[in-house]
Amino acid sequence: MNRKMLIRQMAERQQISMSQAKVQLQYILASLTQALREGEKVYMPQFGTFELRYHLPRNGRNPQTGEPLEIAGGNQPSFKASPSLKQALLQD
């Protein structure tokens, strides 16, 4: 499913226009992004948790030259599915 398909499905289920569903999705994603930028953990019951996880710098190699290099560490977004979401996916 891509973004356009998701917007269409949201519009059909809520019986609203696709432009209204698009605005709702944009608001949800902007709110989620802002919360993660501020270092907050976003918990959605029966769905999962979004959070930032810090990854340490590590050593790597340039695959073309074989030259060693350091890969910078930093925050990466992470999602952990809730037990109820996992269970719902296993029921099929």
Side-chain angles (χ1 to χ4, degrees), residues 5-59:
M5 294 166 72
L6 178 60
I7 291 169
R8 184 178 296 127
Q9 188 175 59
M10 287 173 61
E12 289 172 4
R13 288 189 178 179
Q14 296 181 59
Q15 298 178 351
I16 58 175
S17 71
M18 285 185 57
S19 61
Q20 290 172 317
K22 183 177 180 180
V23 169
Q24 287 181 355
L25 181 60
Q26 287 173 338
Y27 181 74
I28 291 167
L29 295 177
S31 298
L32 179 61
T33 302
Q34 184 63 35
L36 290 174
R37 273 190 189 147
E38 294 172 359
E40 292 182 47
K41 189 183 283 192
V42 180
Y43 172 66
M44 301 174 82
Q46 300 179 1
F47 186 70
T49 304
F50 295 90
E51 64 183 332
L52 288 180
R53 291 193 180 160
Y54 182 77
H55 292 275
L56 295 171
R58 64 185 199 276
N59 295 322

